[in-house]
Amino acid sequence: DKIVDLEATYFDNWGEPTLEAEADGSKLNVSFGQKEQTVFLGLHNSSPSYDVTFGAFSYPSKLDIALGAGTGNVDLEQVALEEVKADVGAGKLVITLAEDSIPESMDLDVGAGSLEINLPENVGYMIDYSIGAGQLNSRGDEIGGIGSDDDNHESDNFDQADVTVTIKADIGAGKITIN
């Protein structure tokens, strides 16, 4: 089994994606980026797309994801997580977690893009959020919209859940959805 796997679709002038992973004792170092972009005149009808899948490893990990443009799908169902940070500019990012991979905290920042977090139904969460012109959806309900500043929301099962996560969300003109 691989520690981490990448599947990508991109135009050559967007820059080829790079992925390096190295396990060192109790630490996993993952570096994901793009080789230098070349700008040409002309339009493309799609952005780059990245699917990153992490294999099973037992030590708790801190994950920091930054996605400017493009589409990313990150499967963390087999990863023991301590903390997740995600920063989305104008792209679309989907993060999928399992009960055993729920971190203690998540720090989410969305500019004009969208971020979808898929949690198991039995996981409770509390969200502290600020919203500019965007929106925040929680399991099908819009809980925050334009101008919501320093508000919070708890999932219906937060007090009874055995597994919980605390989420801090800053949203500009984009959207965060918790499923």
Side-chain angles (χ1 to χ4, degrees):
D1 284 328
K2 291 182 178 180
I3 293 173
V4 63
D5 187 45
L6 168 68
E7 291 185 29
T9 304
Y10 60 95
F11 291 102
D12 289 339
N13 65 318
W14 278 95
E16 181 181 354
T18 60
L19 178 69
E20 296 175 15
E22 180 183 354
D24 179 21
S26 64
K27 184 177 178 183
L28 174 66
N29 295 308
V30 177
S31 176
F32 173 73
Q34 283 180 234
K35 292 182 180 177
E36 189 173 322
Q37 296 181 21
T38 306
V39 178
F40 293 106
L41 293 177
L43 299 173
H44 295 293
N45 60 2
S46 64
S47 297
S49 175
Y50 308 108
D51 291 321
V52 181
T53 303
F54 287 84
F57 47 92
S58 59
Y59 33 91
S61 303
K62 293 181 180 180
L63 185 65
D64 190 347
I65 302 170
L67 177 69
T71 302
N73 293 303
V74 181
D75 181 347
L76 300 169
E77 293 181 290
Q78 299 182 53
V79 181
L81 293 166
E82 191 174 293
E83 177 181 271
V84 172
K85 291 182 180 181
D87 186 354
V88 178
K92 178 181 180 184
L93 180 63
V94 177
I95 298 175
T96 302
L97 301 163
E99 186 173 333
D100 292 337
S101 65
I102 300 299
E104 293 174 15
S105 64
M106 299 181 80
D107 188 352
L108 312 176
D109 190 354
V110 174
S114 67
L115 174 59
E116 180 179 320
I117 305 291
N118 295 314
L119 301 172
E121 286 184 28
N122 62 324
V123 172
Y125 52 91
M126 195 253 307
I127 307 170
D128 288 322
Y129 62 92
S130 293
I131 302 173
Q135 73 182 87
L136 175 62
N137 293 326
S138 172
R139 295 194 169 144
D141 296 324
E142 184 174 333
I143 60 168
I146 295 174
S148 299
D149 193 27
D150 295 325
D151 285 332
N152 60 55
H153 169 79
E154 290 182 354
S155 62
D156 292 338
N157 65 339
F158 183 76
D159 291 329
Q160 300 85 15
D162 292 330
V163 178
T164 62
V165 59
T166 300
I167 301 170
K168 179 181 175 292
D170 290 311
I171 306 167
K175 177 179 179 180
I176 292 179
T177 302
I178 310 290
N179 294 320

